[in-house]
């Protein structure tokens, strides 16, 4: 059957022709993995989406420059612990130096290597430490599952679980391609995008312009609908690399395009849910849905407003069916609606109808709210627009993690 | 000398002809004060500003209706514990019933009594309990300091300290009037306005149209520049009552108007700082200032963005000079500026110049950040616009208070 088929295992080198590994450059200390490298055997097309923050990290700015040159690339090097941001021209130069070192070991041009950094902002990147381990890292590149997991582990900062997905996609006439994705992201997470680095690989052959359409479609209602704390970071990027090693070409406007588009979006959605679920200090995964908004803009305003409300997020942590706080956040969202028509359901339980709180079984509500996954459904009865956002609760641990993260 | 002179004592009945008191209607339990009444001996002019939330509490909506009728009023009754919001027409009717009971005890028209409620949203107000104590409350009305403090205590919810101000204002030719103010507000606080009720009294004789200008001027950069958690409540109001008992009239366009305007704004600013300082769980008072923004809109975007960033607020709790998080919040604010020209100072210490983190004495920074009052100064070098916002840090106690507030 056509479409996406999830595979039991999930790692970034499942598509043909990709190798990866992670290594410790002693950035985090304790020999923890902190530098990741993903390389395609052959030059591949690439497309990406980036943070909307006016302040952008230097490694990211360099990658955007490279991608805008519209060349094929060979891969990407990522370091954690230091965001390489807000340090001036040296930060850009450091990213170039690192790319140059990788390129010389791989045997390619420095503009075929993307760079990404995540971690603390405002400290000079210890580029020498990273450059020193690159020869060994390049030698260790492998298609092995563990090597691929190492790459993921090396990207993680405050993440508590790895975030990896893989699927095989069956196209028309039985042709098959594979897509894998991996991401890091836990705090400083808010749409467009987040302290989030997402990397997808595929062995499909896809033109970079088509790939650009596909990655933008995929992030729109997935990565761009995750909010952990409302803070949009300076280093976020989601890229997809397509090396064509499957021999299968996907062109815009075809049925195969649609199948691939849905598959990539579905995998992006899986990762988006993992990120919200692993939000800093999170004890709950919360899906905020709005139905019946006047238009798409209003729908987005409402889910965003509820998802970033500290009062709603602490109430979820307290497992309190506090519909007043949710309705308040809906009210100040800036969306236009009649407050007397609003309905609200918490994990399927009606708690608010026609602008009024209604009696509900508090014990049942509490039972529903003790579950890990919570659904908030807001219905406006104004129009047909729908949106959805993933978030998590605000816990003591969020404060603990972020009251002491830098040092 | 002309202008404002702060008085040693501060309570709402210092202006001539105002009486007040607070009583327990057993809404909070433990005999805690929960109903406040402030009454002028003679009818007074009134003006107010209200929450911008589309969802508005019923007691507030009724007060707006009364004020819009442009009658003189005699006073205001406020209850805490229950916001009288999101319960439908019965909520509006309950507010009318309470006003009617007060009016009948005072001997005035029900449309001369304003109503305000603060507390939990979505539960029916126990109006009978409130009505039952009104006769005794009216009998207890007094100009006494303690009675006035009781009114303030009765308005408080999660506030930990009362917020009262008083000043004598000397006008041209030595004429004197008095202004007092009291407020409650601790959580669900964000501009336009907050779960905040502010009440000012003055014995000046001021036309209600002029009073309207004065109260809007006063809140613009004070109450409307306080953010505790980014949540704009459904019940907020700030009103000013002017009963003319001093015999001194203030007209628009006069020097006296300017003197009074500055005095009222200064008192509003004092209360705004008290509210930020007493933010739920707050351990720090933080003033965010931006200099050199392109225009007023950009300046406001930037101070708002930093003031509501959970990552900045947890870093302040951790006393961490994390300039990266502040610059990140500036970057995603939506304001237009050149990131390479930004400067940042923390409590006077330069930490960031021309878009780059600079070396600073970490020990000195930590020492400055252990103080209760912290100043964040962002300079953009783009234009002349300035703005300022008051906020507090995010602590374990914010989560504790709000993870368990409703029940």
């Amino acid at each position: 059957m056509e479409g996406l088929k999830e595979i039991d295992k999930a790692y970034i080198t499942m598509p043909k022709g990709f190798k990866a590994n992670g290594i410790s450059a002693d950035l985090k200390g304790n020999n923890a993995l902190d530098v990741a490298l993903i390389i395609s055997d052959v030059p591949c097309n690439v497309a990406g989406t980036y943070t909307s923050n006016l302040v952008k990290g230097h490694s990211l700015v360099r990658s955007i420059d490279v991608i805008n040159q519209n060349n094929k690339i060979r891969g990407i090097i990522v370091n954690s612990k230091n965001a390489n941001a807000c340090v001036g021209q040296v930060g850009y130069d450091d990213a170039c130096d690192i790319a140059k070192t990788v390129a010389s070991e791989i045997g390619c041009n420095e503009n075929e290597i993307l760079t990404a950094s995540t971690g603390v902002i405002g400290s000079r990147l210890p580029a020498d430490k990273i450059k020193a381990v690159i020869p060994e890292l390049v030698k260790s590149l492998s298609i092995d599952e563990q090597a691929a997991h190492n790459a993921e582990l090396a990207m993680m900062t405050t993440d508590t679980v790895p975030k990896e997905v893989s699927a095989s996609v069956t196209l028309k006439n039985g042709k098959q391609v594979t897509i894998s994705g991996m991401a890091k992201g836990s705090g400083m997470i808010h749409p467009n995008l987040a302290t989030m680095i997402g990397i997808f690989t595929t062995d499909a052959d896809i033109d970079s312009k088509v790939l650009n359409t596909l990655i933008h479609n995929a992030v729109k209602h997935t990565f761009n609908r995750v909010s952990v704390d409302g803070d949009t970071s300076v280093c976020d990027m989601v890229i997809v690399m397509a090396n064509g090693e499957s021999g299968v070409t996907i062109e815009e406007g075809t049925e195969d395009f649609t199948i691939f588009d849905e598959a990539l979006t579905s995998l992006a959605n899986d990762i988006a849910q993992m990120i919200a679920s692993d939000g800093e200090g999170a004890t709950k995964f919360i899906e905020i849905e709005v139905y019946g908004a006047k238009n798409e803009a209003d729908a987005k305003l409402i889910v965003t407003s509820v998802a970033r409300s500290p009062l709603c997020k602490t109430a979820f942590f307290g497992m309190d069916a506090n519909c007043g706080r949710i309705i308040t956040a809906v009210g100040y969202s800036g969306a236009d609606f009649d407050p007397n028509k609003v309905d609200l359901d918490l994990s399927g339980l009606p708690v608010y109808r026609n602008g009024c709180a209604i009696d509900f079984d508090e014990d049942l509500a509490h039972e529903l709210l003790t579950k890990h996954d919570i659904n908030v459904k807001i219905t406006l009865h104004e129009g047909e627009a729908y949106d959805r956002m993933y978030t998590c609760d605000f816990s003591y641990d969020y404060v603990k993690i972020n009251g002491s993260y830098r040092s």
Side-chain angles (χ1 to χ4, degrees), chain A:
Chain A
M1 229 184 69
E2 289 152 19
L4 168 143
K5 189 165 60 194
E6 305 257 358
I7 309 174
D8 282 350
K9 298 191 172 179
Y11 52 99
I12 198 69
T13 55
M14 289 202 86
K16 293 192 187 87
F18 286 96
K19 295 191 175 71
N21 216 332
I23 200 167
S24 172
D26 196 27
L27 308 178
K28 288 179 179 168
N30 296 321
N31 297 317
L33 300 175
D34 44 30
V35 181
L37 185 63
I38 302 164
I39 294 289
S40 166
D41 295 342
V42 298
C44 49
N45 287 320
V46 65
T49 65
Y50 323 106
T51 182
S52 59
N53 199 312
L54 212 54
V55 178
K56 289 184 175 65
H58 308 296
S59 301
L60 170 61
V61 170
R62 187 191 159 276
S63 286
I64 296 173
D65 289 346
V66 168
I67 292 176
N68 285 346
Q69 290 169 15
N70 222 2
N71 298 320
K72 295 203 172 201
I73 64 149
R74 287 292 300 282
I76 181 168
I77 182 163
V78 187
N79 74 276
S80 51
K81 185 64 184 176
N82 185 311
N84 192 22
C86 303
V87 298
Q89 182 62 35
V90 291
Y92 193 94
D93 295 343
D94 284 341
C96 290
D97 266 5
I98 289 167
K100 203 178 291 180
T101 307
V102 174
S104 117
E105 291 293 320
I106 299 285
C108 68
N109 187 291
E110 69 176 283
N111 280 341
E112 293 178 274
I113 301 298
L114 301 181
T115 45
S117 300
T118 177
V120 175
I121 297 165
S123 302
R124 175 95 189 259
L125 185 67
D128 286 342
K129 282 186 170 183
I130 297 173
K131 283 155 64 182
V133 298
I134 287 173
E136 191 185 333
L137 178 57
V138 169
K139 277 193 202 84
S140 73
L141 285 170
S142 160
I143 61 166
D144 283 358
E145 184 174 352
Q146 187 55 51
H149 291 325
N150 287 348
E152 166 68 4
L153 293 170
M155 289 212 306
M156 288 161 56
T157 51
T158 53
D159 304 65
T160 66
V161 291
K163 298 162 185 79
E164 298 166 286
V165 291
S166 292
S168 145
V169 185
T170 304
L171 305 170
K172 291 281 288 180
N173 306 323
K175 292 171 293 179
Q176 287 207 329
V177 298
T178 304
I179 310 176
S180 283
M182 60 187 248
K184 64 82 50 178
S186 187
M188 210 182 261
I189 299 270
H190 196 62
N192 311 316
L193 295 161
T195 303
M196 178 196 289
I197 296 177
I199 299 170
F200 288 93
T201 52
T202 179
D203 48 19
D205 173 27
I206 309 177
D207 174 78
S208 58
K209 208 180 129 216
V210 179
L211 208 53
N212 196 47
T213 305
L214 286 164
I215 194 70
H216 280 87
N217 286 353
V219 303
K220 192 177 174 193
H221 287 98
T222 60
F223 285 102
N224 275 344
R225 289 296 184 278
V226 179
S227 180
V228 167
D229 47 23
D231 285 279
T232 305
S233 139
V234 299
C235 295
D236 311 327
M237 68 188 304
V238 177
I239 62 159
V240 54
M241 297 185 280
N243 68 4
E245 289 290 276
S246 66
V248 178
T249 303
I250 293 173
E251 287 174 349
E252 201 154 5
T254 61
E255 281 181 60
D256 282 351
F257 175 90
T258 306
I259 295 167
F260 190 92
D261 190 29
E262 286 172 3
L264 186 63
T265 300
S266 171
L267 292 177
N269 194 47
D270 289 346
I271 292 198
Q273 294 195 9
M274 290 180 201
I275 289 174
S277 211
D278 191 29
E280 287 178 340
T283 72
K284 304 280 177 197
F285 168 76
I286 300 155
E287 179 185 44
I288 319 279
E289 291 184 297
V290 64
Y291 288 84
K294 209 165 270 183
N295 52 52
E296 279 193 23
D298 274 5
K300 189 180 172 192
L301 281 173
I302 285 172
V303 292
T304 306
S305 185
V306 176
R308 71 184 290 180
S309 157
L311 283 172
C312 292
K313 291 159 81 79
T314 47
F316 289 124
F317 173 63
M319 294 173 277
D320 179 15
N322 199 316
C323 59
R325 294 188 186 168
I326 297 169
I327 295 299
T328 297
V330 173
Y332 67 69
S333 65
D336 182 36
F337 64 92
D338 178 355
N340 297 313
K341 294 197 293 188
V342 179
D343 295 342
L344 175 65
D345 299 82
L346 293 179
S347 293
L349 180 71
V351 294
Y352 197 87
R353 285 290 178 272
N354 304 308
C356 290
I358 58 174
D359 286 337
F360 57 87
D361 183 338
E362 287 271 358
D363 291 339
L364 176 58
H366 185 74
E367 191 190 315
L368 291 168
L369 293 176
T370 56
K371 294 191 194 303
H372 181 265
D373 291 1
I374 294 172
N375 176 274
V376 174
K377 180 183 169 192
I378 301 146
T379 312
L380 300 181
H381 303 289
E382 296 287 349
E384 299 298 320
Y386 168 84
D387 209 339
R388 176 199 61 198
M389 189 166 276
Y390 303 130
T391 188
C392 56
D393 57 339
F394 254 173
S395 69
Y396 295 114
D397 279 349
Y398 180 83
V399 177
K400 187 172 176 186
I401 291 165
N402 288 300
S404 58
Y405 170 64
R406 197 182 55 125
S407 34

